[in-house]
Amino acid sequence: MLHVNAQRLLADMAALAEIGATPEGGVSRPALSPADLAGRDWFRQQVEAAGLTFRQDGAGNVSAILPAADPTAWTLLCGSHLDSVPDGGRFDGALGTLAALEALRTIREARLTLPVHLEAIAFTDEEGELVGLLGSQAVAGDLTPEILAHPRGGRDKLLAGLDRAGLSETSLLGARRDPDSLLAFVEMHIEQGTRLLDAGLDLGVVTAIVGIRSFWLTFTGQAAHAGTTPLARRKDALWGAAEFIGRARDLVAEQFDPGVVNCGILHAAPGAFNIVPGRVRLALEFRHGSEATLDTMQSALLALAENVAASFRLALNIEEASRAIAAPLGERVIAALEAAADHLDLGHTRLLSFAGHDTQVMSRIVPAAMAFVPSVGGLSHNPAEFTPDDDVIHAADVLLHTLLILAEAAR
Amino acid sequence: MLHVNAQRLLADMAALAEIGATPEGGVSRPALSPADLAGRDWFRQQVEAAGLTFRQDGAGNVSAILPAADPTAWTLLCGSHLDSVPDGGRFDGALGTLAALEALRTIREARLTLPVHLEAIAFTDEEGELVGLLGSQAVAGDLTPEILAHPRGGRDKLLAGLDRAGLSETSLLGARRDPDSLLAFVEMHIEQGTRLLDAGLDLGVVTAIVGIRSFWLTFTGQAAHAGTTPLARRKDALWGAAEFIGRARDLVAEQFDPGVVNCGILHAAPGAFNIVPGRVRLALEFRHGSEATLDTMQSALLALAENVAASFRLALNIEEASRAIAAPLGERVIAALEAAADHLDLGHTRLLSFAGHDTQVMSRIVPAAMAFVPSVGGLSHNPAEFTPDDDVIHAADVLLHTLLILAEAAR
């Protein structure tokens, strides 16, 4: 059975982890920072040393290409990203990028003749130091001047990064690729949770990237003297918010598993030891893999908020904050990932990705899916994130066989 | 039966309300502000016009005195304060001060010969613009250089106020009076709640001013990705704080009525839609009239916090923030207030004061008590605070007869 070169892959992981290395053992390679650019240079060297074709597009996405004999063939894309959050870990993004590079090297060395171009791509700014999912949005044609006008990290940082990388807003907006030229996209990644370790499994095949909906809930009662106002007469906005927090958790746990809910921000006003809170603003966010279920969750959670507010004689204002659509992934790619795992005799399960990835953007234009390997403690965006060598190798082997399965099916 | 001059009292209330009047119909006379000083000047004019003796002590407390024939007689003190919170109401403090002035005028006009000096006093800075309960603490000998070194309103404001009033820190610290020279202290005040109106009563005789204890509770769990961390694995500090808020309310309502509890400040960190709160700081305050009950409440509430924290796998840190001792009031003065109310055929009840007053300070050195008249809607520290004329007159009549009863008993 064909396997990747495990030692070479692990050596690459170690070498890349030196670039932007932090004292805590992680890496800090925010998108288009000098460290990120150094990472891309290093990637280019590996690509060229392997006899693969290097390509950089107008969005700064860097690729290794193993061309098919027929220049008009489809391109089968795989990869992830080389950037990290500030003070992030060695595996998030790096694993998927280097597994893709290694899979291509292995196929080239095995002199397999495939009916598709293979391309291992590292997307620019997945993590959001500048825009978030920037490179994949550019490729998918989702990028607009409006998005670039209000980048999450601020205009100055975006422009400085583009300048450092020799890119421009014009080049970014020109990086769109023809969906008809692409066969599929596959991404390998560390799990940002512990479902796999908890279940003792090797691989999680992602069937959907969750949709995320968020709301500001404002409970308004009446600020009052915390001594002279009897409990029974209070309209304490914090009582309402507190009751909602607990009941929302129980509601989602009981009725919407594996969906999740979070109340991550709470502002209570006026905010004094001796004043009953008259107003509480609460940030509500919930996630699920199905838009239909998200609709039901939303109705249930907002009705709960209304009921709780009424029971404490509070007014409630609901304001939508943001919405990310759930991305169901490509069944054909999912099936290929599962077949590859079976072929390699790896234990696997289907699960949802509760975090965003370039795969969700690519899935809008091409059949796309991704798979997770275990991450100890479920850590991510953390210098201590760690995936054992065996799981790193599994990731590359699964990708290798998934590419072969998808390529063969394209004959 | 002897009654105060109702028209004169109401005219005084109206005249004083002009000083520092706000567009919303309230008054703004923060301690030792120009408006407060103007209020004192006006008070002095009324005192002298009534043929009473005016006195100002080193703490800026201003008094009307109706001397007894024997200069060595005890002094029977009554009064309240002339300062207000910024943008406060017309009744808080003013009612008790002018009821006291009116009672003395009435007794003087009736040419009653009493065995005690009568003194109607307005204490400096009851509300805390500078220090809080400043004048009464000075009289009681509770004031220390340390208190003046760290005034609640800041050193600059304190020094500017003292300068404006021709006072000094030295004069403040010298304003202590010999407790043996004092017979009792009585204060009339608007209720800062609605217990009287709810019960359809005219007068609330305060048996104790509640003690107030406050704590910072810090719940610490683990900040985590709000997507990838399953609900069952979260250590959400806000879950603990929210559960505590509801259960603390129920505990106090069920077991410690008429005590009250408040969670007035909540800081959740790190504070993002998509991050599980890892740390919550919660301000807990509770009040009761009995120190023994406060001890029990404290044990129960802190044990509840420990239990809740443990049930959510959170660490809990408890930090005492402040403590004001409950002040049981003088039974003899309470009985005199009740006898006066009976004499006037007013409906009355005993209750606790859930807010601080000069009476609690005075009660440390002399038998002291206070009584409330109704305040519509329980408003206080609010430009809309309002007490009907009849209740204003009741306050002065009750004080008048309470003074007579206490004075007669001193023969």
Side-chain angles (χ1 to χ4, degrees), chain A residues 192 194 198 215 226-228 233-234 238-239 249 260-264 271-275 277 283 285 287 312 354, chain B residues 192 194 198 215 226-228 233-234 238-239 249 260-264 271-275 277 283 285 287 312 354:
Chain A
Q192 294 167 290
T194 60
D198 291 348
F215 293 83
T228 61
R233 293 187 70 93
R234 295 187 184 183
L238 189 53
W239 288 353
R249 172 195 63 231
V260 291
V261 63
N262 187 50
C263 295
F273 267 98
N274 59 355
I275 305 180
E285 186 198 84
R287 306 182 186 213
F312 287 101
F354 281 89
Chain B
Q192 293 167 289
T194 61
D198 291 349
F215 292 84
T228 59
R233 294 188 70 92
R234 295 187 184 183
L238 190 53
W239 288 353
R249 173 195 62 231
V260 291
V261 64
N262 187 51
C263 294
F273 266 99
N274 59 355
I275 305 181
E285 184 197 84
R287 305 182 187 214
F312 288 100
F354 282 88

Side-chain angles (χ1 to χ4, degrees), chain A residues 86-146:
Chain A
D87 290 312
R90 300 167 164 227
F91 294 87
D92 183 341
L95 172 71
T97 303
L98 297 185
L101 173 64
E102 179 57 30
L104 265 61
R105 282 192 298 220
T106 303
I107 291 169
R108 180 177 179 279
E109 286 170 353
R111 299 180 183 279
L112 301 182
T113 305
L114 299 182
V116 295
H117 307 300
L118 292 181
E119 179 172 345
I121 191 166
F123 288 114
T124 298
D125 183 35
E126 192 268 351
E127 295 290 5
E129 179 77 1
L130 306 175
V131 171
L133 305 175
L134 176 61
S136 54
Q137 288 191 81
V139 166
D142 284 353
L143 211 56
T144 62
E146 290 67 38

Side-chain angles (χ1 to χ4, degrees), chain A residues 14-21 26-29 34-40 42-43:
Chain A
L16 179 55
E18 293 298 309
I19 301 173
V27 299
S28 206
R29 289 194 302 263
D36 184 37
L37 297 182
R40 293 147 172 276
W42 174 88
F43 181 75

Side-chain angles (χ1 to χ4, degrees), chain B residues 187-236:
Chain B
E187 181 171 9
M188 305 302 296
H189 206 278
I190 56 166
E191 187 191 0
Q192 293 167 289
T194 61
R195 289 172 173 85
L196 294 176
L197 283 171
D198 291 349
L201 293 170
D202 303 303
L203 197 79
V205 178
V206 178
T207 55
I209 294 175
V210 296
I212 309 175
R213 298 191 188 182
S214 61
F215 292 84
W216 281 110
L217 304 183
T218 305
F219 294 88
T220 303
Q222 187 157 26
H225 192 297
T228 59
T229 316
L231 294 179
R233 294 188 70 92
R234 295 187 184 183
K235 296 178 180 174
D236 185 332

Side-chain angles (χ1 to χ4, degrees), chain A residues 161-246:
Chain A
L162 293 178
D163 189 54
R164 231 179 343 253
L167 304 171
S168 69
E169 293 184 82
T170 309
S171 73
L172 277 174
L173 293 167
R176 180 176 178 277
R177 286 168 76 160
D178 179 3
D180 290 340
S181 70
L182 304 175
L183 176 65
F185 174 71
V186 195
E187 180 171 9
M188 305 303 295
H189 206 278
I190 56 166
E191 187 191 1
Q192 294 167 290
T194 60
R195 290 171 171 84
L196 294 176
L197 283 171
D198 291 348
L201 294 170
D202 302 303
L203 196 79
V205 179
V206 179
T207 55
I209 294 175
V210 295
I212 308 175
R213 300 192 186 181
S214 61
F215 293 83
W216 280 112
L217 303 183
T218 305
F219 295 89
T220 304
Q222 187 156 27
H225 192 296
T228 61
T229 317
L231 294 178
R233 293 187 70 93
R234 295 187 184 183
K235 296 178 179 173
D236 185 332
L238 189 53
W239 288 353
E243 178 84 4
F244 175 79
I245 290 164

